Amino acid sequence: MKKVFVTLAFVLVAQIGMAQDDAFKKDVQKVVQMSGTVAQIDLAKGQILKMIPEAKQAAFLIEFNATLPSLYDKITKVYMDTYTKEDVKAMLAFYESPVGKKMTAKSGELAEKSQAAAQEWGQGLQAMMMKYAQ
């Protein structure tokens, strides 16, 4: 009888732990979505798509989109390894605030403009490097 009780207690504790981990994972997935990670991936997808012949773009998108769940799982794991549950709750609170919502809404546009600024800077840097490389 004692073994049955101990086994049941162990199973119950394990299920509670898994339920907490599932809740944490769902919160982290929400943070990943709201933080602009998805917008940055969409921006990259758009840039890559420009290099694919138009006739092959639909097939490319099917394959590309099929890789995304695995990527998001890996990013989620990184967040879960890096941040505590309390950190993630605080991030969610921020992203659900008016400023956080604005940040989420503007993340794609911000990423695109930031990339353009970085490209412009890189061109100037390349000229400077050529000056010193000789």
Side-chain angles (χ1 to χ4, degrees):
M1 180 75 170
K2 186 176 179 182
K3 287 182 183 180
V4 171
F5 179 73
V6 171
T7 302
L8 286 174
F10 180 74
V11 169
L12 181 62
V13 169
Q15 285 182 335
I16 291 170
M18 288 190 325
Q20 289 175 345
D21 284 346
D22 285 347
F24 181 42
K25 184 175 182 176
K26 286 180 183 179
D27 284 347
V28 169
Q29 289 169 332
K30 194 172 180 182
V31 166
V32 169
Q33 174 74 31
M34 297 173 88
S35 69
T37 300
V38 174
Q40 291 176 353
I41 291 170
D42 285 343
L43 179 63
K45 178 172 51 174
Q47 292 174 339
I48 294 167
L49 199 57
K50 292 175 186 176
M51 295 182 267
I52 306 292
E54 195 171 331
K56 297 179 180 181
Q57 288 182 359
F60 168 78
L61 286 173
I62 291 169
E63 280 193 59
F64 183 91
N65 290 335
T67 68
L68 293 179
S70 172
L71 173 61
Y72 294 142
D73 283 345
K74 289 175 184 174
I75 292 170
T76 298
K77 180 160 179 17
V78 169
Y79 273 65
M80 290 174 76
D81 290 344
T82 304
Y83 298 109
T84 66
K85 293 173 185 176
E86 292 77 23
D87 293 337
V88 170
K89 292 287 186 193
M91 288 179 212
L92 284 173
F94 169 74
Y95 284 120
E96 291 170 352
S97 73
V99 172
K101 288 178 182 178
K102 182 177 182 180
M103 201 170 152
T104 298
K106 298 285 186 177
S107 64
E109 179 184 340
L110 184 63
E112 194 172 328
K113 288 180 178 179
S114 295
Q115 185 177 33
Q119 285 177 337
E120 183 180 322
W121 173 79
Q123 289 170 348
L125 181 62
Q126 188 176 16
M128 181 182 13
M129 287 170 51
M130 293 302 291
K131 177 176 129 182
Y132 287 97
Q134 297 176 354

